[in-house]
Amino acid sequence: MSTVGNPANIFWHENPVGKAEREKLLNQHGCVVWITGLSGSGKSTLACSLGRELQSRGKLSYVLDGDNLRHGLNKNLWFSPESRTENIREVAKLFANAGLICIASLISPYRKDGDAYRALLPDKKFIGRVSFFMNMPLQLCEGRNPRGLYKLARVGKIKGFTGIDDPYEPPLSCEIEIQLKDGVVPTPNEMAGQVVSYMEDRGFLEA
Ligand SMILES: Nc1ncnc2c1ncn2[C@@H]1O[C@H](COP(=O)(O)OS(=O)(=O)O)[C@@H](OP(=O)(O)O)[C@H]1O
Ligand SMILES: Nc1ncnc2c1ncn2[C@@H]1O[C@H](COP(=O)(O)OP(=O)(O)O)[C@@H](O)[C@H]1O
């Protein structure tokens, strides 16, 4: 019997420098800021603005964008339910463990996956997470239509597009929900400010 790929032959190596030491060095807590929402809801915009705000405060963050990962690490994944579940998952946890503020921006359309991410990052004291729901109406996202993908989905040239012929299940619980205020979209700076205040209040920005 072949032993290639047998998990019994794979061993965990403990690193003498632990997360707490890395965090002390960086003076911050490694955590995942999870941003979910429809395509065009503003996830990447918020992620960039938040990254910039944290940088200006001397905090080390890194944006993991669903689109970007699909250019490299996840380039073999497509948009089947299984692939969507696989996308990012463990990578965010690794970044948080490295002591970084990992800003994970991805549609993450299925509720059960959101629950799995929460289970993956269970203890706020060690690997905290802040879930963000960009609760923007489909009509607005579709109207923005930044890469013309909604149009293609509407005429059946892209199959299984989230919000059109594939579901988006809004999360049942999240730390922060971004919504229109009197029909107006908050500015990227306003949104980033909201997350930073949340993180400050909960001590994520100091070790
Ligand atoms: N079928 C289908 N459904 C949804 N989105 C699609 C699809 N095909 C391509 N795209 C583009 O891929 C981006 C979403 O990638 P994600 O990794 O965030 O999606 S997922 O979490 O795995 O569902 C998404 O980018 P964003 O607009 O940045 O969200 C789309 O531009
Ligand atoms: N708060 C905002 N105010 C104004 N325009 C926005 C805002 N957020 C996003 N946009 C615009 O909407 C489009 C889609 O945003 P993007 O961040 O790419 O969404 P997503 O990553 O969810 O697909 C972009 O053209 C962006 O400039």
Side-chain angles (χ1 to χ4, degrees), residues 65-77:
D65 191 287
D67 265 338
N68 293 359
L69 282 190
R70 285 171 187 281
H71 281 91
L73 198 60
N74 288 343
K75 69 176 169 217
N76 296 325
L77 298 182

Side-chain angles (χ1 to χ4, degrees), residues 38-45 144 146-147 185-188 191:
L38 289 167
S39 176
S41 60
K43 300 182 296 299
S44 306
T45 304
R144 285 173 169 169
R147 296 169 212 96
V185 187
T187 66
M191 296 191 291

Side-chain angles (χ1 to χ4, degrees), residues 58-165:
K59 301 299 167 191
L60 187 59
S61 70
Y62 192 84
V63 175
L64 284 184
D65 191 287
D67 265 338
N68 293 359
L69 282 190
R70 285 171 187 281
H71 281 91
L73 198 60
N74 288 343
K75 69 176 169 217
N76 296 325
L77 298 182
W78 198 227
F79 285 93
S80 66
E82 300 73 31
S83 302
R84 290 186 196 251
T85 302
E86 204 55 39
N87 192 23
I88 295 191
R89 250 194 357 185
E90 285 282 330
V91 185
K93 189 180 173 186
L94 287 177
F95 273 75
N97 190 263
L100 271 71
I101 299 167
C102 173
I103 307 169
S105 153
L106 71 167
I107 299 179
S108 197
Y110 309 129
R111 208 169 276 152
K112 70 173 173 47
D113 294 340
D115 294 344
Y117 295 133
R118 281 181 171 270
L120 198 68
L121 305 168
D123 188 337
K124 284 193 181 179
K125 260 194 287 181
F126 297 104
I127 301 179
R129 41 131 181 79
V130 186
S131 317
F132 239 98
F133 172 29
M134 301 296 293
N135 189 2
M136 296 292 151
L138 174 65
Q139 208 185 4
L140 176 110
C141 301
E142 192 170 354
R144 285 173 169 169
N145 200 30
R147 296 169 212 96
L149 297 183
Y150 278 105
K151 268 195 187 128
L152 294 175
R154 283 287 183 199
V155 296
K157 289 193 177 162
I158 300 180
K159 302 279 185 215
F161 198 84
T162 305
I164 305 298
D165 57 346

